[in-house]
Amino acid sequence: MPETSIVIRTFNEALFLADLLEGIRNQTYQDYEIIVVDSGSFDGTVEIAGRFGVELVEIAGRDFTFGFSLNRGIVASEGRFLVLVSAHTTPVDREWLGTLVEPLRDPDVAMTYGRQMGEARSKFSERQDFLRTFGEERQVIQPPNFFANNANSAVRRDLWEKQPFDEGLPGLEDAAWAKYWMDRGYQVVYEPRAGIHHIHTETWPQVEHRYFREAVAAHAIGIRGPRHVSGEIARETWRFVADVGLALFKERDPRLLLEIARFRWAKGRGTARGLLDHSEAQIVADHQGFFFKDDVTAVVVTGPGHASHTMVTLPEMKPGDVVVRVEYVGVCGTDLELFRGTLGYFETGESTYPITPGHEVSGTVVRTGPNARTTVQIGDRIVIECIQGCGACEMCDSGEPIRCDDRKELGVMGLNGGYAKHIVVAGAHVHRIPDGLDLQRAALCEPLAVAVKGRRRLISALGPGRHHIGVLGAGSLGQLLALVLAREGHRVSLVDQRKSRLEAATRALPESEVSTDPASLWKCDAIAEVTGHSGVLEALLGGVGVGRTVLLLGFPYGKLDLNPERLVAQDLSLLGSVGSGPADFQAALEILPSLSLDEFLKSTFPLEAYEEAWTTHERGKALKVMLDVSGESEI
């Protein structure tokens, strides 16, 4: 086991990372391991880390905060000393690493940080600030100067285990950690002999934002606030004058004057904005050290045929997550497949027990991570995407998360679903519900999004114009597809063996044609098979007319006795469609208020009556069965 673990945070650091890793490799002190925590680099950073053989921890970009990334790297490490260094730095000499960790051998020392210096690529004023901030004399930092800097620091693992870095702060997680342990009698040591070159290549807006978020963090943890603004302005004014003097009389380079003015303006303005922004500071303070670990009631399937209504502990929130109070969740055949163990994902190992079902969810946001609040706020009424991709790959960028190799599916694969009072989900996968749309109807968004995607694929194959489309299976998904198609002016015919479903379809779509005879659809321009039954599909492919298009929207079909010669000889086009993407969800939300959905809202059960709800669904006693999870509506 190495004595020291070096944790490096990266995002697109290809320009600097190799120099840092080479500098570490050349250190005299060699008892270390390196962990690189990357948050979605696409410039070759990950490949560089691989060439150096370091351990790589990858996190989603939406979850990045300084504290979160450091904590994840430390969790993956083993050393009793933890060195934290910025990716855009290089050691000044071969003694940097050993010198930085040496003070931690003193049991009274919690943290050390080393000297930082600029170099030729650094902005002139920042080089001067490094010289002013990081002097040549060793110091034991004394309150109220709670300063430390994780661009070049080391901490003790035993103390980190008691107090990890704050994942809610937008900066100054280092100062907050130092303050915590200094308040408890430990020392923070500044060691100037442990030096690095620190290179920032920021734009001016990025400079301002860096100082803004650091000031917000300082305000939130109580080490600076609005009363310090005048002092900060005075200090930046004095430093502006000093920098101008150095540029003119020492460097003899008047070309630096504009850069000096822009740096001091960006730094001063960002700092003042952050210290004066009460709302931002309060939001950050609300998130400080927050981990949503309350026990909540949920339905948990622990194995084939075994489910219970029990208490579970929610997972830890990540910075990009939100906590949702579930209001309604639709019952789907997939939930029953999970319960029975017949879902295909179990055979492939993609889904495992225990799992909480439920992927047709509406709810209310009750907590947001610090990175999620730019898109969603506490109190927002939302729906949640079922298929959730990584958000960084080509497939996700193209709006097809079903093709993402790292996807998860809410309540199906890798993510606990909505049969629970509260759930934790990524904020990137929630959509606000339009005003005027109630939460029960909104829970139909997920199956409607599936229908929207199926319609998109079908009409793309058929081409423009109005078509006669048959829907084989008038259950909830079949009727949603029929509603979407009819809304666009297509002629729709539905077939189902259950007359109650056909009666419901007639009430929702009086202009539609209904029948119990599948052969009545054979001459339609296209047929959507929505039952998912292999025998029905075989009959369809054997009877449909020449040149027709068949959409497979039902799932799953199991084993089929399929004759490809029949498909070719009849000139059939066979399409598959499964799940939905973000654009389909948004489209579904936009059209939901215009659809006649009363037939879908007639059967609702409380969460604890999930078994009765499953029985009602399985026996076809209602077009749609829902669970009222919050228990705040009438049952």
Side-chain angles (χ1 to χ4, degrees), residues 324-385:
V324 177
R325 181 180 68 237
V326 177
E327 308 290 354
Y328 289 92
V329 58
V331 174
C332 175
T334 302
D335 305 341
L336 276 298
E337 292 178 57
L338 282 170
F339 174 64
R340 297 192 182 102
T342 57
L343 187 70
Y345 288 154
F346 287 119
E347 293 183 10
T348 62
E350 294 172 285
S351 188
T352 58
Y353 295 114
I355 189 167
T356 295
H359 58 276
E360 303 175 8
V361 180
S362 69
T364 303
V365 175
V366 296
R367 177 68 66 172
T368 62
N371 290 356
R373 55 189 168 84
T374 58
T375 56
V376 66
Q377 303 295 324
I378 292 174
D380 282 350
R381 302 176 317 128
I382 55 91
V383 292
I384 308 168
E385 295 169 16

Side-chain angles (χ1 to χ4, degrees), residues 547-610:
R548 298 315 197 261
T549 298
V550 176
L551 172 70
L552 306 183
L553 197 58
F555 190 79
Y557 287 93
K559 295 182 179 180
L560 287 175
D561 184 12
L562 183 63
N563 182 3
E565 183 179 349
R566 165 71 180 170
L567 300 180
V568 176
Q570 291 294 99
D571 198 20
L572 299 181
S573 297
L574 200 60
L575 300 173
S577 182
V578 63
S580 58
D584 303 313
F585 251 78
Q586 201 57 43
L589 279 174
E590 291 172 4
I591 67 175
L592 256 173
S594 67
L595 301 181
S596 177
L597 299 172
D598 290 347
E599 296 293 331
F600 291 78
L601 310 175
K602 295 182 175 180
S603 182
T604 308
F605 296 84
L607 179 61
E608 57 270 23
Y610 70 95

Side-chain angles (χ1 to χ4, degrees), residues 374-407:
T374 58
T375 56
V376 66
Q377 303 295 324
I378 292 174
D380 282 350
R381 302 176 317 128
I382 55 91
V383 292
I384 308 168
E385 295 169 16
C386 171
I387 300 173
Q388 302 182 10
C390 68
C393 69
E394 182 180 353
M395 294 299 100
C396 289
D397 287 343
S398 66
E400 294 290 345
I402 188 65
R403 300 166 66 187
C404 172
D405 291 337
D406 296 321
R407 78 182 189 281

Side-chain angles (χ1 to χ4, degrees), residues 180-365:
Y180 180 90
W181 289 111
M182 289 169 72
D183 285 343
R184 286 155 179 77
Y186 285 87
Q187 295 178 358
V188 172
V189 174
Y190 167 60
E191 178 50 77
R193 294 179 301 133
I196 58 163
H197 292 293
H198 193 169
I199 309 105
H200 282 127
T201 56
E202 300 163 309
T203 63
W204 296 117
Q206 288 172 331
V207 172
E208 180 175 336
H209 182 70
R210 170 157 58 99
Y211 287 105
F212 168 75
R213 60 173 174 74
E214 288 182 355
V216 167
H219 192 177
I221 63 180
I223 60 176
R224 283 188 294 169
R227 64 187 178 87
H228 295 93
V229 171
S230 59
E232 292 292 335
I233 293 174
R235 184 175 68 170
E236 290 308 308
T237 302
W238 178 86
R239 288 186 173 182
F240 168 74
V241 173
D243 290 351
V244 168
L246 289 169
L248 292 178
F249 301 112
K250 184 177 180 180
E251 301 295 330
R252 299 185 181 278
D253 188 354
R255 294 173 300 176
L256 293 171
L257 297 183
L258 178 59
E259 180 192 295
I260 291 169
R262 297 186 74 174
F263 182 87
R264 291 299 164 199
W265 171 257
K267 181 182 178 184
R269 186 170 185 269
T271 300
R273 284 176 51 228
L275 294 179
L276 291 171
D277 197 324
H278 293 278
S279 60
E280 285 287 334
Q282 186 58 51
I283 290 171
V284 172
D286 288 344
H287 289 292
Q288 270 191 274
F290 175 79
F291 297 94
F292 196 97
K293 291 186 176 179
D294 287 352
D295 287 341
V296 299
T297 55
V299 174
V300 180
V301 181
T302 55
H306 297 283
S308 62
H309 183 240
T310 185
M311 300 296 294
V312 299
T313 298
L314 287 182
E316 175 186 317
M317 275 186 77
K318 297 190 288 294
D321 287 345
V322 297
V323 177
V324 177
R325 181 180 68 237
V326 177
E327 308 290 354
Y328 289 92
V329 58
V331 174
C332 175
T334 302
D335 305 341
L336 276 298
E337 292 178 57
L338 282 170
F339 174 64
R340 297 192 182 102
T342 57
L343 187 70
Y345 288 154
F346 287 119
E347 293 183 10
T348 62
E350 294 172 285
S351 188
T352 58
Y353 295 114
I355 189 167
T356 295
H359 58 276
E360 303 175 8
V361 180
S362 69
T364 303
V365 175

